[in-house]
Each structure stands twice: as structure tokens, then as C-alpha cells.
Amino acid sequence: MAVDRHSSIVVDAEGVSFEINDVTAEFPWPEVRSVHYKASPSGKHLMMGVIHLDGRFYECVVEAKPRTKLGEWFAQLQAVLGFYRPMG
């Protein structure tokens, strides 16, 4: 789970959920083609994208405060995605 004051990203057994300004989008694993994540160019944000089976792309950006939180999120994401999505 990655959370800031405006957005959140949750990756768990059900799939991926984004919440941006109280609007939620849920992507169950059977509907997810792939998940991508990276640090923003400034190194202050986690940027995550989900590509839906129909090809649509969704993105959520969460601020890492303090900045060291970004490294923690990356380690957790690698483990969780490796478990639930070992092929991508």
C-alpha cells in the first residue's frame, strides 16, 4: 500500500486499486494485462500504471514523504507483484 494525502495504490490478492481524490478504480487480476511502476523524474513519487486486457492504460501517482518511503514501496511492490503476477 502506498498512500499520500490525495492518492493511494493498493496491490493485493484481489488485484490493483487506485484512489485519486476519493475516486476509486479497481483492477482485478483477471482483467490486468500488466503492471508497471517507476520513480518520477524528481525521485519524489511512485508512478504506477495498469494496462487493462482491452489495452486501456490507467495511472496513479503517489508522493513518497519522506523520500526514503519510495525505496520501501519498491521493495514491497517487487515482492507482492512477484507473488501475484510472476510473469509480469
Side-chain angles (χ1 to χ4, degrees):
M1 177 189 265
V3 178
D4 68 16
R5 57 193 171 146
H6 300 290
S7 305
S8 68
I9 297 170
V10 176
V11 181
D12 60 17
E14 302 298 317
V16 180
S17 296
F18 293 160
E19 185 175 317
I20 304 167
N21 295 321
D22 298 323
V23 176
T24 302
E26 296 183 353
F27 308 98
W29 289 124
E31 298 175 10
V32 174
R33 179 178 295 165
S34 61
V35 177
H36 307 275
Y37 63 94
K38 66 180 182 178
S40 66
S42 68
K44 295 180 182 179
H45 298 83
L46 167 64
M47 302 170 67
M48 178 176 277
V50 170
I51 299 178
H52 195 269
L53 283 178
D54 65 11
R56 287 182 287 171
F57 176 78
Y58 300 88
E59 183 177 57
C60 187
V61 178
V62 178
E63 183 179 12
K65 215 171 193 177
R67 195 180 285 206
T68 56
K69 197 72 142 155
L70 190 60
E72 294 173 26
W73 289 341
F74 274 25
Q76 293 169 359
L77 279 169
Q78 185 177 21
V80 171
L81 288 171
F83 185 78
Y84 292 114
R85 297 288 294 185
M87 298 308 288

